[in-house]
Amino acid sequence: MRRTILITGASSGLGAEMARQFAAKGHDLAITARRTDRLEELRAEIAAAHPEVKVSVHALDVNDHDQVFAVFTAAARELGGLDRVIVNAGLGKGGRIGTGKFEANKETAETNFIAALAQCEAAMEHFYERKAGHLVLISSVSAMRGMPGSMTSYAATKAAVAHLAEGIRIDLVNRKGHDIAVSTIYPGYIASEMNEKVEQEQKLMVDTATGVRAMVKAIDKEVDDAPVPAWPWLPLGQVLKHAPRGIARRLV
């Protein structure tokens, strides 16, 4: 078992629920986010339910790239090494291209991709040193296709994250003496703080615990990639990739 897990963006939503579910499976955790008050509440919750599990809390703004490397190093030292890193921190801001929303779109791009690149660098340096580890990148089913309106920049960043993961995965081919895996997880519409005000996602939404349970299952299998929950997102993901634009637009 990959015993120790670091999760970024763990103060709410999918990150917090992943922490709860992995703790229930006996994993020691490093949880990071900007909002340490929420992290402390989550640590207390986990300690009450699973007193045998160690949880370390770290303040982290993933856009502070030097801090990313420092926090990953500190978490590894505290937990005796990191077996799995889940690159989860992200933003859902944005607006239709050409409508004056550049700053929001840029912030999403910087947080979702550039910061993810920093996290991957820090994680893979650690894994190469240990010759073992599991890197997990949280993408989105929106990465399957260019998306309209407020989702355009967000979807583009999630596609970039998926390609980043695949590049790292290919770099590991035939690398002997290493037990390093890379997984790309494509969540469908799973309830979280990020999307609670997004009207168009309600029709296929599942609750946070159910959606994250599917994510954790795929992560534990160390799959290369997986849309989750598999139903309906495995078939719908293929439809999104190949359907005419008019049909794809009605699906989002």
Side-chain angles (χ1 to χ4, degrees), residues 113 120 124 128 135-139 158-173 181-186 223-226:
F113 180 66
C120 289
M124 290 304 295
Y128 281 138
L135 177 65
V136 180
L137 288 94
I138 306 302
S139 181
K158 290 303 186 179
V161 162
H163 280 270
L164 177 60
E166 178 67 358
I168 299 169
R169 195 179 294 119
I170 292 173
D171 201 40
L172 290 167
V173 172
V182 181
S183 296
T184 311
I185 305 300
Y186 298 91
V223 297
D224 282 356
D225 52 73

Side-chain angles (χ1 to χ4, degrees), residues 56-248:
S56 64
V57 165
H58 302 268
L60 176 59
D61 179 348
V62 293
N63 288 308
D64 183 338
H65 305 140
D66 290 339
Q67 190 184 36
V68 168
F69 287 86
V71 165
F72 278 40
T73 298
R77 187 182 304 116
E78 188 167 346
L79 294 180
L82 301 174
D83 298 322
R84 175 179 288 152
V85 170
I86 302 178
V87 178
N88 170 72
L91 282 181
K93 290 183 179 180
R96 189 180 305 278
I97 303 299
T99 61
K101 302 294 185 181
F102 173 71
E103 289 300 325
N105 289 328
K106 182 181 75 166
E107 188 176 352
T108 291
E110 289 173 344
T111 301
N112 290 4
F113 180 66
I114 302 300
L117 178 60
Q119 293 166 73
C120 289
E121 287 276 3
M124 290 304 295
E125 283 182 9
H126 182 64
F127 294 159
Y128 281 138
E129 183 180 339
R130 302 183 81 206
K131 296 186 177 181
H134 183 203
L135 177 65
V136 180
L137 288 94
I138 306 302
S139 181
S140 166
V141 292
S142 67
M144 304 293 181
R145 184 75 175 266
M147 293 287 130
S150 63
M151 293 182 67
T152 300
S153 292
Y154 175 80
T157 66
K158 290 303 186 179
V161 162
H163 280 270
L164 177 60
E166 178 67 358
I168 299 169
R169 195 179 294 119
I170 292 173
D171 201 40
L172 290 167
V173 172
N174 296 326
R175 189 178 287 269
K176 296 180 180 178
H178 287 72
D179 174 25
I180 302 174
V182 181
S183 296
T184 311
I185 305 300
Y186 298 91
Y189 296 159
I190 300 172
S192 71
E193 283 188 25
M194 183 183 292
N195 59 34
E196 62 186 0
K197 296 180 181 178
V198 180
E199 197 71 28
Q200 67 265 34
E201 295 189 358
Q202 300 301 316
K203 54 193 173 186
L204 295 173
M205 192 82 72
V206 297
D207 65 272
T208 306
T210 298
V212 170
R213 196 171 299 115
M215 293 173 65
V216 166
K217 182 178 180 180
I219 290 168
D220 273 344
K221 287 182 177 180
E222 300 193 5
V223 297
D224 282 356
D225 52 73
V228 293
W231 177 261
W233 295 107
L234 185 59
L236 277 184
Q238 295 305 308
V239 173
L240 278 173
K241 280 184 181 180
H242 304 294
R245 293 187 189 97
I247 294 175

Side-chain angles (χ1 to χ4, degrees), residues 26-82:
H27 295 272
D28 291 332
L29 302 171
I31 52 176
T32 82
R34 292 176 298 172
R35 297 173 292 187
T36 55
D37 56 334
R38 288 196 175 193
L39 293 179
E40 292 292 354
E41 289 172 4
L42 179 59
R43 173 160 62 181
E45 176 189 336
I46 290 172
H50 311 288
E52 74 285 0
V53 168
K54 184 174 183 178
V55 181
S56 64
V57 165
H58 302 268
L60 176 59
D61 179 348
V62 293
N63 288 308
D64 183 338
H65 305 140
D66 290 339
Q67 190 184 36
V68 168
F69 287 86
V71 165
F72 278 40
T73 298
R77 187 182 304 116
E78 188 167 346
L79 294 180
L82 301 174

